[in-house]
Amino acid sequence: MTLPNRKKIFKQWVRKFHLWAGLGIGSIIFIISVTGCLYVFKDEIQDILRKDAMFHNEPDIDKKQVLPIHILEKKVNEYTQEKYPVHWVNIPIDRNESYRFYYYEKNPETTWNYFDEFIIYKSVYINPYTGEVLGIYDEKNGFFGVVLGIHFSLLLSRPIGSWVVGITTLLFIGMLISGIIIWWPKNKKARKQRFWFPKKNLKNWKKFNYDLHNILGFYASFVGIIIAITGSFYAFFFVRALIYLVFSGGLTQYPDFSEYKTTSPKTERTEITPDKIATQVEKLYPEAYGYSIDLGHEHLDEHSHPAFSIYIQQKKGVYYINNEVFFDENSGEMLYNRPHKEKNFGEKVIAANYDIHVGAILGLGGKILAFLVSLICASLPVTGFMIWWQRHKKRKKRLRIIE
């Protein structure tokens, strides 16, 4: 078989894959892409909507002390009257912001949908100086919680839905690559005509739709592939392992810190243990944005952490720079400090995955780019189906004439 024939056959197979994959998963791609668009600016929108809860506006805070964490937790429980224990607290180092306590319980029984999988997921904003509760938000049933549930698992339980979304995303990566192959022109002359909309096609909606699919699809494909790969990261371990392997320089195992264990007895844990941990974290990282402390209560799902670590977010709104400190959960003794700069490049890329996925790694401009690319990706199944439907109708019409 000659080389031109091989190329022709290869391109035919690519076209078939692109067509049938698009018809099979187009509706799911549309849903994932639209919800991705909606979620990109979640932080910016919530910062506006929750401004009065996020900032307590307490006067003269330089002359005041924040209340101990266990006192704040008690005030939160008294206010909410929830039967479940608080799971963790987010503490901003900028004391102008409120503390955020979270109730989070997953159903230990097997469920098939998002709403049954999470029993409770609520955040409570509280003034750390007075203990006044400033706002309670249902993260599970709130707008962005549901949007994320659709985006991540189509509102199925995560073990099921993440696989459905993950497989669809991998097929979509193949579709984007196959689309580039199909689009790629044979010569320079043809290439010039495919980079922008020909004026003669603007008045013909069928040709214009064809150009929309091909031209916008081409420009969006390269960023779309990155967004899709970083999305499949959450569904499949092999994607995470492969990313780490590539960017760590060939390492196959993630650094192990299981040696830093809680060894002191539970009797050493007191009400002020979380405050003792918090004091040490803030002394180590006074320039960070904030950190989270698991409050160590028993929960419905399996909840154990022999290596008790505190995650420190260096900058607001992004997660690619973070530090980690290991503590004895009962005594509050610091066991090991691991700043961001000590991590290998593979770990840094893994930590940056979310920021890359939503474009936050490039700031507001990156988020706008991610939004536009996601919007184009949502349009591709629609414009692609319209192209197929027109051709399908023409084919049926020819068959009728022949008959």
Side-chain angles (χ1 to χ4, degrees), residues 86-103:
V86 175
H87 200 129
W88 76 88
V89 57
N90 283 1
I91 301 176
I93 290 178
D94 180 358
R95 290 294 189 256
N96 289 297
E97 291 192 28
S98 306
Y99 281 22
R100 298 184 292 281
F101 286 82
Y102 287 85
Y103 292 97

Side-chain angles (χ1 to χ4, degrees), residues 172-235:
F172 185 52
I173 293 169
M175 287 180 64
L176 291 172
I177 295 169
S178 62
I180 293 170
I181 294 170
I182 294 167
W183 175 92
W184 202 260
K186 293 179 181 179
N187 52 57
K188 289 183 179 179
K189 186 179 178 181
R191 199 176 303 164
K192 287 179 182 178
Q193 296 174 353
R194 295 196 183 184
F195 278 110
W196 198 242
F197 299 90
K199 289 183 179 179
K200 61 182 180 179
N201 291 351
L202 295 177
K203 294 180 180 179
N204 185 319
W205 77 266
K206 292 177 185 178
K207 290 182 179 180
F208 180 64
N209 178 71
Y210 182 84
D211 290 338
L212 273 177
H213 186 78
N214 286 279
I215 296 170
L216 292 185
F218 170 74
Y219 284 119
S221 288
F222 301 99
V223 177
I225 288 169
I226 295 171
I227 292 174
I229 290 171
T230 52
S232 62
F233 170 98
Y234 297 104

Side-chain angles (χ1 to χ4, degrees), residues 33-91:
S33 299
V34 168
T35 51
C37 285
L38 294 172
Y39 200 78
V40 164
F41 294 107
K42 187 235 355 169
D43 290 340
E44 288 78 4
I45 294 169
Q46 281 193 347
D47 283 356
I48 295 169
L49 296 177
R50 300 182 181 184
K51 184 178 179 182
D52 291 338
M54 287 180 63
F55 297 93
H56 49 73
N57 297 314
E58 183 71 20
D60 302 322
I61 59 173
D62 292 338
K63 301 173 184 177
K64 298 176 182 178
Q65 290 288 328
V66 295
L67 296 172
I69 292 171
H70 73 275
I71 296 294
L72 293 172
E73 181 186 355
K74 184 180 178 183
K75 288 182 177 293
V76 165
N77 285 325
E78 287 174 351
Y79 190 91
T80 63
Q81 296 294 304
E82 288 289 348
K83 62 180 179 179
Y84 304 103
V86 175
H87 200 129
W88 76 88
V89 57
N90 283 1
I91 301 176

Side-chain angles (χ1 to χ4, degrees), residues 19 27 41 133 169 230 239 271 304 307 326 379 396:
L19 170 64
S27 57
F41 294 107
V133 172
T169 304
T230 52
V239 176
E271 289 182 329
S304 59
F326 294 86
S379 76
K396 285 178 75 176

